[in-house]
Amino acid sequence: MSTTGLRPPPVPAARPRTAAAATTGDAPPPPGSTLRRLLAHPRFMHHHRLVAAVVATNLALLGYGLTAGWWRGPATPGALGAAALANVALAVLVRQQYVVNLLFWLATRAPTHWPLRIRATLGKVYHFGGLHVGAALAGTTWYLAQLGALTVGDAPAGALVTGYAAAVGLLAVVGTALPPVRSRRHDLFERTHRLGGWAVLLLLWAQAGFLAGGPAALATSPQGGVLAVLTASIALPWLRLRRVPVVVERPSSHVALVHFDHGVTPFPGSSTAVSRSPLWEWHSFANVPAPGRSGFRLTVSRAGDWTGRFIDDAPQRVWVKGISTAGVANIETLFRRVVYVATGSGIGPVLPHLLAGQVPARLVWVARRHRETFGDGLVDEILAHQPDALLWDTARDGKPDMLRLAWQAYRAFDAEAVICISNRPLTWQVVRGMEERGVPAYGAIWDS
């Protein structure tokens, strides 16, 4: 992403509080160069670049192995298996909650006096899912190649049986993760990833035991060590599984504010996964801790069957697991001043950052009848920390030009970056539109 000529002259006027005043501000300038527009396109976002980088690295490994003779002779299945296991390990570990938090911590160590171009690139840390996707695709391909080599060789029958069963599981996990399937059948994708992933791990253990010559030999082999690390990584969040009490407040039929106070106060900008049926489905929501108070809140907005049932039939207890995990907006500390653009319940992930006040921020919140939907208490809390926020009521003022509002707030606040928390079309509209104009912009990419 190019950030040349990034900072326009600041506009001294305060952010208008009314929609009518907001519409009179400057319109965004035309997009920048062809290269900048190309790099801002969703097809070329950093997530996809990481996928391509992992695939390219594996192709280079394939080419080097061909010249080195790795893929010929009796050692071929072992070499193919090592490549497969390395990629599977990357795919699993890069999604582990502690690893995710470590990646965010490392990326946000950069001080704000570093060049904006470097900080803007580090802010794309949340695209790490591209490593997961690329490694999963490469690992599955290497594994199928290893299975073919074992089939034409003299592998034990047990290794072939468990190998083909694992291959079916891997293909099911990869197949349901394809964007068209995942978007239409998300529950199927989630359950296949969880239950199918566990089954594949067990089958890989069994196959490795057959190939190593028994459990004792496997225990002292590198393959056994890697599989042990993967097993611990997958099991760790489930070792923290517990059912905790909640208090659910319903300011309207569209929103539930869920209060937790079970001895955990997560850091601002993290998320918690909750469930009513822990084996079948989990849903992540942004944690909203209040400064100086224990516990936290979640904002659950009606956006499907599960959230609808949650609001209409509020539970007294829910399941939680794992640890609080960093989210997109944690990259705010890379910048001196940021603009938050949120729509509807997107205020949930934004609110903890506004309350924490680690970075000077300006809020643009577009929703339908803010007070009627989210309650006076929440709106007053927001305005107490953001007196200059723009609250755009779509019931009164209609749907706004989100890109124009983001640009005007960016100019008026002399910000360095824009963080958008909204639905997919609006997030991409704002993020792409701002990046085409050389402004660092961030928002969810729906890669999982």
Side-chain angles (χ1 to χ4, degrees), residues 198-240:
W198 293 349
V200 168
L201 181 62
L202 292 174
L203 289 166
L204 290 178
W205 270 110
Q207 185 195 38
F210 283 119
L211 292 174
L218 177 61
T220 58
S221 68
Q223 292 84 354
V226 174
L227 287 172
V229 170
L230 297 185
T231 303
S233 173
I234 293 171
L236 188 59
W238 292 91
L239 296 177
R240 301 170 65 96

Coordinates of all heavy atoms in Angstrom, one line a residue, residues 198-240:
W198 N -10.4 -32.7 14.4 CA -10.0 -33.6 15.4 C -9.8 -35.0 14.9 O -8.8 -35.7 15.2 CB -11.1 -33.6 16.5 CG -11.2 -32.4 17.3 CD1 -10.4 -31.3 17.3 CD2 -12.3 -32.0 18.2 NE1 -10.9 -30.3 18.1 CE2 -12.0 -30.7 18.6 CE3 -13.4 -32.7 18.6 CZ2 -12.9 -30.1 19.5 CZ3 -14.3 -32.1 19.5 CH2 -14.0 -30.8 20.0
A199 N -10.7 -35.4 14.0 CA -10.5 -36.8 13.4 C -9.3 -36.9 12.6 O -8.6 -37.9 12.7 CB -11.8 -37.1 12.6
V200 N -8.9 -35.9 11.8 CA -7.7 -36.0 11.0 C -6.5 -36.0 11.9 O -5.5 -36.8 11.6 CB -7.6 -34.7 10.1 CG1 -6.2 -34.6 9.5 CG2 -8.7 -34.8 9.0
L201 N -6.5 -35.3 13.0 CA -5.3 -35.3 13.9 C -5.1 -36.7 14.5 O -4.0 -37.2 14.6 CB -5.5 -34.3 15.1 CG -4.4 -34.2 16.1 CD1 -3.1 -33.8 15.4 CD2 -4.8 -33.2 17.2
L202 N -6.2 -37.4 14.9 CA -6.1 -38.7 15.4 C -5.6 -39.7 14.4 O -4.8 -40.6 14.7 CB -7.5 -39.2 16.0 CG -8.0 -38.4 17.2 CD1 -9.4 -38.9 17.6 CD2 -7.1 -38.7 18.4
L203 N -6.1 -39.5 13.2 CA -5.6 -40.4 12.1 C -4.2 -40.2 11.7 O -3.5 -41.1 11.4 CB -6.5 -40.2 10.8 CG -8.0 -40.7 11.0 CD1 -8.8 -40.1 9.8 CD2 -8.0 -42.2 10.9
L204 N -3.7 -38.9 11.8 CA -2.3 -38.6 11.6 C -1.4 -39.3 12.6 O -0.3 -39.8 12.3 CB -2.1 -37.1 11.5 CG -2.7 -36.4 10.3 CD1 -2.4 -34.9 10.4 CD2 -2.1 -36.9 9.0
W205 N -1.9 -39.3 13.9 CA -1.2 -40.0 14.9 C -1.1 -41.4 14.6 O 0.0 -42.0 14.7 CB -1.9 -39.8 16.3 CG -1.5 -38.6 17.1 CD1 -2.2 -37.5 17.3 CD2 -0.2 -38.4 17.8 NE1 -1.5 -36.6 18.2 CE2 -0.3 -37.2 18.5 CE3 0.9 -39.2 17.9 CZ2 0.8 -36.7 19.2 CZ3 2.0 -38.7 18.7 CH2 1.9 -37.5 19.3
A206 N -2.2 -42.0 14.2 CA -2.2 -43.5 13.9 C -1.3 -43.8 12.8 O -0.5 -44.8 12.8 CB -3.6 -44.0 13.7
Q207 N -1.4 -43.0 11.7 CA -0.6 -43.3 10.5 C 0.9 -43.1 10.8 O 1.8 -43.9 10.4 CB -1.0 -42.4 9.4 CG -0.2 -42.7 8.1 CD -0.3 -41.6 7.0 OE1 -0.3 -40.4 7.4 NE2 -0.4 -41.9 5.8
A208 N 1.2 -42.1 11.6 CA 2.7 -41.9 12.0 C 3.2 -43.0 12.8 O 4.4 -43.4 12.7 CB 2.8 -40.6 12.7
G209 N 2.3 -43.6 13.6 CA 2.7 -44.8 14.4 C 3.0 -46.0 13.5 O 4.0 -46.7 13.8
F210 N 2.2 -46.2 12.6 CA 2.4 -47.3 11.6 C 3.7 -47.1 10.9 O 4.5 -48.0 10.7 CB 1.3 -47.5 10.7 CG 0.0 -48.1 11.2 CD1 -1.2 -47.4 11.3 CD2 0.1 -49.4 11.7 CE1 -2.3 -48.0 11.9 CE2 -1.0 -50.0 12.3 CZ -2.3 -49.3 12.3
L211 N 4.0 -45.9 10.4 CA 5.2 -45.6 9.6 C 6.4 -45.6 10.4 O 7.5 -46.0 9.9 CB 5.0 -44.3 8.9 CG 3.9 -44.2 7.8 CD1 3.8 -42.7 7.3 CD2 4.2 -45.1 6.6
A212 N 6.3 -45.3 11.7 CA 7.5 -45.2 12.6 C 7.9 -46.6 13.1 O 9.0 -46.8 13.6 CB 7.3 -44.3 13.7
G213 N 6.9 -47.5 13.1 CA 7.2 -48.9 13.6 C 6.7 -49.1 15.0 O 7.1 -50.1 15.6
G214 N 5.8 -48.2 15.5 CA 5.3 -48.4 16.8 C 5.3 -47.2 17.6 O 6.0 -46.2 17.3
P215 N 4.5 -47.1 18.7 CA 4.4 -45.9 19.6 C 5.8 -45.5 20.2 O 6.0 -44.3 20.3 CB 3.4 -46.4 20.7 CG 2.7 -47.5 20.1 CD 3.6 -48.2 19.2
A216 N 6.6 -46.5 20.5 CA 7.9 -46.1 21.1 C 8.8 -45.3 20.2 O 9.4 -44.3 20.5 CB 8.6 -47.4 21.6
A217 N 8.8 -45.8 18.9 CA 9.6 -45.2 17.9 C 9.1 -43.8 17.6 O 9.8 -42.8 17.4 CB 9.7 -46.0 16.7
L218 N 7.7 -43.7 17.5 CA 7.1 -42.4 17.2 C 7.4 -41.4 18.3 O 7.6 -40.2 18.0 CB 5.6 -42.6 17.1 CG 4.7 -41.4 16.8 CD1 5.2 -40.7 15.5 CD2 3.2 -41.7 16.8
A219 N 7.4 -41.8 19.6 CA 7.6 -40.9 20.7 C 8.9 -40.2 20.6 O 9.0 -39.0 21.1 CB 7.4 -41.6 22.0
T220 N 9.9 -40.8 20.0 CA 11.2 -40.2 19.9 C 11.5 -39.6 18.5 O 12.7 -39.1 18.3 CB 12.3 -41.2 20.3 OG1 12.2 -42.3 19.3 CG2 12.1 -41.7 21.7
S221 N 10.5 -39.5 17.7 CA 10.8 -39.0 16.3 C 10.4 -37.6 16.2 O 9.5 -37.1 17.0 CB 9.9 -39.9 15.3 OG 8.5 -39.6 15.5
P222 N 10.9 -36.8 15.2 CA 10.5 -35.5 15.0 C 9.0 -35.3 14.7 O 8.3 -34.4 15.2 CB 11.3 -35.0 13.8 CG 12.5 -35.9 13.8 CD 12.0 -37.2 14.3
Q223 N 8.4 -36.3 13.9 CA 7.0 -36.3 13.6 C 6.2 -36.4 14.9 O 5.2 -35.6 15.0 CB 6.7 -37.4 12.7 CG 7.2 -37.3 11.3 CD 8.7 -37.9 11.2 OE1 9.3 -38.2 12.2 NE2 9.2 -37.9 10.0
G224 N 6.6 -37.2 15.8 CA 5.8 -37.3 17.1 C 5.9 -36.0 17.9 O 4.9 -35.6 18.5
G225 N 7.0 -35.4 17.9 CA 7.1 -34.1 18.6 C 6.2 -33.0 18.0 O 5.5 -32.3 18.7
V226 N 6.2 -32.9 16.7 CA 5.3 -31.9 16.0 C 3.9 -32.2 16.3 O 3.1 -31.4 16.6 CB 5.6 -31.9 14.5 CG1 4.6 -31.0 13.8 CG2 7.0 -31.4 14.2
L227 N 3.5 -33.5 16.2 CA 2.1 -33.9 16.4 C 1.7 -33.6 17.9 O 0.6 -33.2 18.2 CB 1.9 -35.4 16.1 CG 1.8 -35.7 14.6 CD1 1.8 -37.2 14.4 CD2 0.6 -35.1 13.9
A228 N 2.6 -33.8 18.8 CA 2.3 -33.5 20.2 C 2.1 -32.0 20.4 O 1.2 -31.6 21.1 CB 3.5 -33.9 21.1
V229 N 2.9 -31.1 19.7 CA 2.7 -29.7 19.8 C 1.3 -29.3 19.2 O 0.6 -28.5 19.8 CB 3.8 -28.9 19.1 CG1 3.5 -27.5 19.0 CG2 5.1 -29.1 19.8
L230 N 1.0 -29.9 18.1 CA -0.3 -29.6 17.5 C -1.5 -30.0 18.4 O -2.5 -29.3 18.5 CB -0.4 -30.2 16.1 CG 0.6 -29.8 15.1 CD1 0.3 -30.5 13.7 CD2 0.6 -28.3 14.9
T231 N -1.3 -31.2 19.0 CA -2.4 -31.7 19.9 C -2.6 -30.8 21.1 O -3.7 -30.4 21.4 CB -2.1 -33.1 20.3 OG1 -1.9 -34.0 19.2 CG2 -3.2 -33.7 21.2
A232 N -1.5 -30.3 21.7 CA -1.5 -29.4 22.8 C -2.2 -28.1 22.4 O -3.0 -27.5 23.1 CB -0.1 -29.2 23.4
S233 N -1.8 -27.6 21.2 CA -2.3 -26.3 20.7 C -3.8 -26.4 20.5 O -4.6 -25.4 20.9 CB -1.7 -26.0 19.4 OG -2.3 -24.8 18.8
I234 N -4.3 -27.5 20.0 CA -5.8 -27.6 19.8 C -6.5 -27.9 21.1 O -7.6 -27.4 21.3 CB -6.0 -28.8 18.8 CG1 -5.5 -28.4 17.4 CG2 -7.5 -29.1 18.7 CD1 -5.5 -29.5 16.4
A235 N -5.9 -28.6 22.0 CA -6.6 -29.0 23.2 C -6.6 -27.8 24.2 O -7.6 -27.7 25.0 CB -5.9 -30.2 23.9
L236 N -5.6 -26.9 24.2 CA -5.5 -25.9 25.2 C -6.7 -25.1 25.4 O -7.2 -24.9 26.6 CB -4.3 -25.1 24.9 CG -3.9 -24.0 26.0 CD1 -3.6 -24.8 27.3 CD2 -2.7 -23.2 25.6
P237 N -7.4 -24.5 24.3 CA -8.6 -23.7 24.6 C -9.7 -24.5 25.2 O -10.4 -24.0 26.1 CB -9.0 -23.3 23.2 CG -7.7 -23.3 22.4 CD -7.0 -24.5 22.9
W238 N -9.8 -25.8 24.9 CA -10.8 -26.6 25.5 C -10.6 -27.0 26.9 O -11.5 -27.3 27.7 CB -11.0 -27.9 24.6 CG -11.6 -27.6 23.3 CD1 -10.9 -27.3 22.2 CD2 -12.9 -27.5 22.9 NE1 -11.7 -27.0 21.1 CE2 -13.0 -27.1 21.6 CE3 -14.1 -27.6 23.6 CZ2 -14.2 -26.9 20.9 CZ3 -15.3 -27.4 23.0 CH2 -15.4 -27.1 21.6
L239 N -9.3 -26.9 27.4 CA -9.0 -27.2 28.8 C -9.5 -26.0 29.6 O -9.6 -26.2 30.9 CB -7.5 -27.4 29.0 CG -6.9 -28.6 28.3 CD1 -5.4 -28.6 28.5 CD2 -7.6 -29.9 28.8
R240 N -9.8 -24.9 29.0 CA -10.3 -23.7 29.7 C -11.8 -23.6 29.5 O -12.4 -22.5 29.8 CB -9.6 -22.5 29.3 CG -8.1 -22.5 29.5 CD -7.4 -21.4 28.8 NE -7.8 -20.1 29.3 CZ -7.1 -19.4 30.2 NH1 -6.0 -19.9 30.7 NH2 -7.5 -18.2 30.6

